[in-house]
Amino acid sequence: MKLSLGVKVLIVSICALISVIVGIVAGLISHKTDTPIGPAFLLGGGVFGGTLTLCLMVLSALGVL
């Protein structure tokens, strides 16, 4: 599949935004009211990195990127 550079940048941006949303939701789910917020940030960042990596690997395997 031959896509232009602009379309590829748009697809990567969409993957990043989806990863941010998943990371925020994971951080909010893991945060408890009586605990500090630091571990929730770390978990959300890890989930963001994992989700972005997974999205980009799947798109690369499909030949989109």
Side-chain angles (χ1 to χ4, degrees):
M1 182 181 279
K2 260 330 214 185
L3 297 174
S4 67
L5 180 63
V7 174
K8 288 181 181 181
V9 168
L10 182 64
I11 291 172
V12 171
S13 300
I14 290 170
C15 286
L17 289 175
I18 290 170
S19 299
V20 165
I21 292 170
V22 171
I24 289 172
V25 169
L28 287 174
I29 289 173
S30 72
H31 179 64
K32 295 172 182 51
T33 55
D34 297 342
T35 60
I37 200 163
F41 275 119
L42 288 176
L43 182 84
V47 170
F48 164 76
T51 306
L52 185 61
T53 303
L54 181 66
C55 285
L56 294 178
M57 286 175 54
V58 167
L59 289 175
S60 294
L62 291 174
V64 176
L65 296 180

